Amino acid sequence: MGDPLQSALLAVLALRANNRVGGEALAAALWDNPPRTALRQIQIKVWKLRELLNQAFPDEAPQSRPQIVNQAGGYLLLLEPSSIDLVFFDTCVKEARRAAARGEFEEAARSYRKALSLWRGPAFEDIRPPEVSAPGIRAGAITLQDHWIIVTEERVGTDLVLGRHHEVLGELRSLVRAHPLRERFRLHLIRALGRVGRRQEAIATYQEGHRILVQEHGLELGPDLTEAYRVVLARGPVNVGGTVHRSPVPGVVVPPRSRLPLIRAGHACAAEREHAARTMTDRAGVQTGVGTGL
């Protein structure tokens, strides 16, 4: 689509598909400082977009085509839910979380992968300036990227529960490099490295995270990351269900007679499954009887 404003308008409406967006809200999404003619320009672009949508779906019955309708001083992009990637993505993620809450991690992993397969790159990567400068596009891209990161974190966590530590190592290293402030990716990497016997790399990964998160950004490390580090130092398998202790001073190696007992791998895996089910259930808002207390 050659018209920058037209492209941006369609993108903003698509982000809110099947929901009314008021004229003033559209103007704020399209311009940092909307011109006085903003509403008139939007009206003209909507008229042109309707023509383009009709041309793009010539074989569809009029009622089945994507269409932009006027509604109470705003506009609504009307689409069949099944044709919206975001709707299908959310549906697959909900299915994955429900499966994890039931302890069906293979099914959860499949649903996570189905959801993430819809992503072909960063959100709005193919939109060029000046469209990308529209506030609504910038905000939408950030929100969509956050969705992708959270679901990727959950998918990798499911792979770890299934014992796929070797398989995800390369991906996790890339994710930690790309998102150094995301604690969950670093936690997954430390756990995977500990499981495959790469203890020194796991320690270095934690210490790098401490430097970036605590020393450079003044953030506080989460208890799960601290616990995973202590377990690696103790040469034991990662236990995500145990007691959380204070973080040791970075660079100080705790001797093997750590306060933490060594835990047999089978028990640790069971703890990981229980923890994953609880975490994913909390996010999905689903009550479950997994464990005792996804």
Side-chain angles (χ1 to χ4, degrees):
M1 189 179 297
D3 187 319
L5 181 58
Q6 210 162 267
S7 298
L9 174 60
L10 183 58
V12 171
L13 289 172
L15 284 170
R16 298 285 307 279
N18 296 326
N19 289 279
R20 173 190 168 276
V21 186
E24 297 292 342
L26 276 174
L30 293 171
W31 290 279
D32 285 305
N33 296 297
R36 281 188 289 182
T37 59
L39 296 181
R40 177 58 180 163
Q41 289 189 54
I42 290 171
Q43 187 179 40
I44 293 169
K45 298 305 177 186
V46 165
W47 177 73
K48 291 182 177 179
L49 281 172
R50 284 174 176 150
E51 284 191 341
L52 288 173
L53 289 173
N54 286 334
Q55 293 169 12
F57 299 90
D59 298 328
E60 297 281 345
Q63 64 271 21
S64 301
R65 295 174 191 160
Q67 53 187 301
I68 302 173
V69 299
N70 292 53
Q71 192 176 80
Y75 300 94
L76 181 152
L77 177 60
L78 199 59
L79 292 172
E80 288 293 325
S82 59
S83 68
I84 306 173
D85 281 352
L86 275 177
V87 172
F88 187 58
F89 174 80
D90 288 339
T91 299
C92 291
V93 170
K94 288 174 183 175
E95 290 173 355
R97 288 172 176 166
R98 284 194 292 265
R102 297 191 301 268
E104 298 171 359
F105 292 101
E106 286 285 1
E107 181 180 338
R110 284 193 295 271
S111 293
Y112 278 128
R113 282 185 163 76
K114 189 189 302 181
L116 291 167
S117 70
L118 297 169
W119 294 75
R120 295 173 289 277
F124 301 122
E125 185 179 33
D126 57 343
I127 292 184
R128 307 178 306 278
E131 300 106 302
V132 76
S133 66
I137 299 298
R138 295 198 303 268
I142 291 170
T143 299
L144 291 173
Q145 181 69 4
D146 283 345
H147 286 335
W148 179 87
I149 288 173
I150 289 169
V151 173
T152 301
E153 288 173 342
E154 294 178 14
R155 194 226 85 215
V156 174
T158 302
D159 284 335
L160 293 180
V161 170
L162 292 167
R164 296 168 182 160
H165 303 88
H166 284 283
E167 291 91 325
V168 299
L169 271 180
E171 178 186 13
L172 277 171
R173 289 188 184 104
S174 297
L175 288 168
V176 168
R177 284 194 299 271
H179 307 281
L181 298 182
R182 295 297 298 201
E183 190 173 300
R184 184 61 52 179
F185 284 142
R186 191 171 301 275
L187 172 63
H188 287 333
L189 180 55
I190 290 170
R191 287 175 173 166
L193 289 167
R195 286 286 184 190
V196 302
R198 296 178 179 267
R199 182 170 175 267
Q200 291 305 318
E201 188 179 346
I203 291 171
T205 299
Y206 172 87
Q207 292 174 340
E208 177 194 54
H210 189 283
R211 175 179 58 78
I212 294 172
L213 294 165
V214 177
Q215 298 174 9
E216 294 181 8
H217 289 84
L219 303 174
E220 185 176 342
L221 295 182
D224 284 348
L225 190 62
T226 300
E227 178 74 352
Y229 178 53
R230 284 186 174 276
V231 173
V232 169
L233 290 178
R235 297 180 184 275
V238 177
N239 170 27
V240 299
T243 304
V244 173
H245 300 275
R246 288 185 182 276
S247 172
V249 177
V252 176
V253 177
V254 178
R257 65 175 188 278
S258 166
R259 309 177 188 96
L260 293 176
L262 296 182
I263 303 168
R264 288 188 292 114
H267 291 167
C269 288
E272 284 182 358
R273 289 189 178 92
E274 180 179 332
H275 174 82
R278 283 202 311 270
T279 301
M280 294 174 189
T281 300
D282 290 344
R283 283 182 173 169
V286 178
Q287 298 298 317
T288 179
V290 175
T292 54
L294 176 258

PDB file of all heavy atoms in Angstrom, residues 83 118 125 133 167 244 259 288:
ATOM      1  N   SER A  83     -10.031 -15.191  10.745  1.00  0.00           N
ATOM      2  CA  SER A  83      -9.089 -14.627   9.785  1.00  0.00           C
ATOM      3  C   SER A  83      -8.091 -13.677  10.435  1.00  0.00           C
ATOM      4  O   SER A  83      -7.254 -13.087   9.751  1.00  0.00           O
ATOM      5  CB  SER A  83      -9.852 -13.866   8.687  1.00  0.00           C
ATOM      6  OG  SER A  83     -10.468 -12.714   9.216  1.00  0.00           O
ATOM      7  N   LEU A 118       2.870 -18.277  13.956  1.00  0.00           N
ATOM      8  CA  LEU A 118       2.208 -17.184  13.247  1.00  0.00           C
ATOM      9  C   LEU A 118       3.109 -15.966  13.102  1.00  0.00           C
ATOM     10  O   LEU A 118       2.853 -15.087  12.269  1.00  0.00           O
ATOM     11  CB  LEU A 118       0.930 -16.769  13.991  1.00  0.00           C
ATOM     12  CG  LEU A 118      -0.168 -17.837  14.086  1.00  0.00           C
ATOM     13  CD1 LEU A 118      -1.240 -17.387  15.059  1.00  0.00           C
ATOM     14  CD2 LEU A 118      -0.762 -18.115  12.719  1.00  0.00           C
ATOM     15  N   GLU A 125       7.316  -5.005  11.128  1.00  0.00           N
ATOM     16  CA  GLU A 125       8.662  -4.894  10.567  1.00  0.00           C
ATOM     17  C   GLU A 125       8.636  -4.372   9.132  1.00  0.00           C
ATOM     18  O   GLU A 125       9.557  -3.691   8.683  1.00  0.00           O
ATOM     19  CB  GLU A 125       9.349  -6.258  10.616  1.00  0.00           C
ATOM     20  CG  GLU A 125      10.789  -6.245  10.172  1.00  0.00           C
ATOM     21  CD  GLU A 125      11.409  -7.623  10.258  1.00  0.00           C
ATOM     22  OE1 GLU A 125      10.684  -8.620  10.040  1.00  0.00           O
ATOM     23  OE2 GLU A 125      12.612  -7.711  10.554  1.00  0.00           O
ATOM     24  N   SER A 133       6.195   5.935  12.550  1.00  0.00           N
ATOM     25  CA  SER A 133       6.279   7.006  13.531  1.00  0.00           C
ATOM     26  C   SER A 133       4.932   7.289  14.184  1.00  0.00           C
ATOM     27  O   SER A 133       4.856   8.031  15.163  1.00  0.00           O
ATOM     28  CB  SER A 133       6.812   8.283  12.875  1.00  0.00           C
ATOM     29  OG  SER A 133       5.882   8.763  11.916  1.00  0.00           O
ATOM     30  N   GLU A 167      18.236 -29.258  23.464  1.00  0.00           N
ATOM     31  CA  GLU A 167      17.601 -28.712  22.265  1.00  0.00           C
ATOM     32  C   GLU A 167      17.416 -27.197  22.326  1.00  0.00           C
ATOM     33  O   GLU A 167      17.415 -26.532  21.291  1.00  0.00           O
ATOM     34  CB  GLU A 167      16.243 -29.376  22.034  1.00  0.00           C
ATOM     35  CG  GLU A 167      16.323 -30.844  21.630  1.00  0.00           C
ATOM     36  CD  GLU A 167      16.270 -31.776  22.838  1.00  0.00           C
ATOM     37  OE1 GLU A 167      16.822 -31.403  23.893  1.00  0.00           O
ATOM     38  OE2 GLU A 167      15.686 -32.862  22.715  1.00  0.00           O
ATOM     39  N   VAL A 244      13.625 -20.536  49.059  1.00  0.00           N
ATOM     40  CA  VAL A 244      14.407 -19.483  48.432  1.00  0.00           C
ATOM     41  C   VAL A 244      15.338 -18.872  49.459  1.00  0.00           C
ATOM     42  O   VAL A 244      14.945 -18.578  50.579  1.00  0.00           O
ATOM     43  CB  VAL A 244      13.476 -18.384  47.859  1.00  0.00           C
ATOM     44  CG1 VAL A 244      14.282 -17.208  47.366  1.00  0.00           C
ATOM     45  CG2 VAL A 244      12.633 -18.973  46.744  1.00  0.00           C
ATOM     46  N   ARG A 259      24.265 -25.121  51.695  1.00  0.00           N
ATOM     47  CA  ARG A 259      23.102 -25.276  52.566  1.00  0.00           C
ATOM     48  C   ARG A 259      22.013 -26.098  51.887  1.00  0.00           C
ATOM     49  O   ARG A 259      21.155 -26.654  52.547  1.00  0.00           O
ATOM     50  CB  ARG A 259      22.535 -23.901  52.914  1.00  0.00           C
ATOM     51  CG  ARG A 259      23.566 -22.937  53.443  1.00  0.00           C
ATOM     52  CD  ARG A 259      22.946 -21.574  53.697  1.00  0.00           C
ATOM     53  NE  ARG A 259      23.962 -20.587  54.019  1.00  0.00           N
ATOM     54  CZ  ARG A 259      24.503 -19.766  53.138  1.00  0.00           C
ATOM     55  NH1 ARG A 259      24.123 -19.808  51.885  1.00  0.00           N
ATOM     56  NH2 ARG A 259      25.410 -18.891  53.504  1.00  0.00           N
ATOM     57  N   THR A 288      -6.712 -25.006  39.495  1.00  0.00           N
ATOM     58  CA  THR A 288      -6.394 -26.401  39.235  1.00  0.00           C
ATOM     59  C   THR A 288      -5.959 -27.082  40.496  1.00  0.00           C
ATOM     60  O   THR A 288      -5.542 -26.452  41.450  1.00  0.00           O
ATOM     61  CB  THR A 288      -5.278 -26.509  38.179  1.00  0.00           C
ATOM     62  OG1 THR A 288      -4.992 -27.889  37.967  1.00  0.00           O
ATOM     63  CG2 THR A 288      -3.992 -25.841  38.628  1.00  0.00           C
TER      64      THR A 288
END
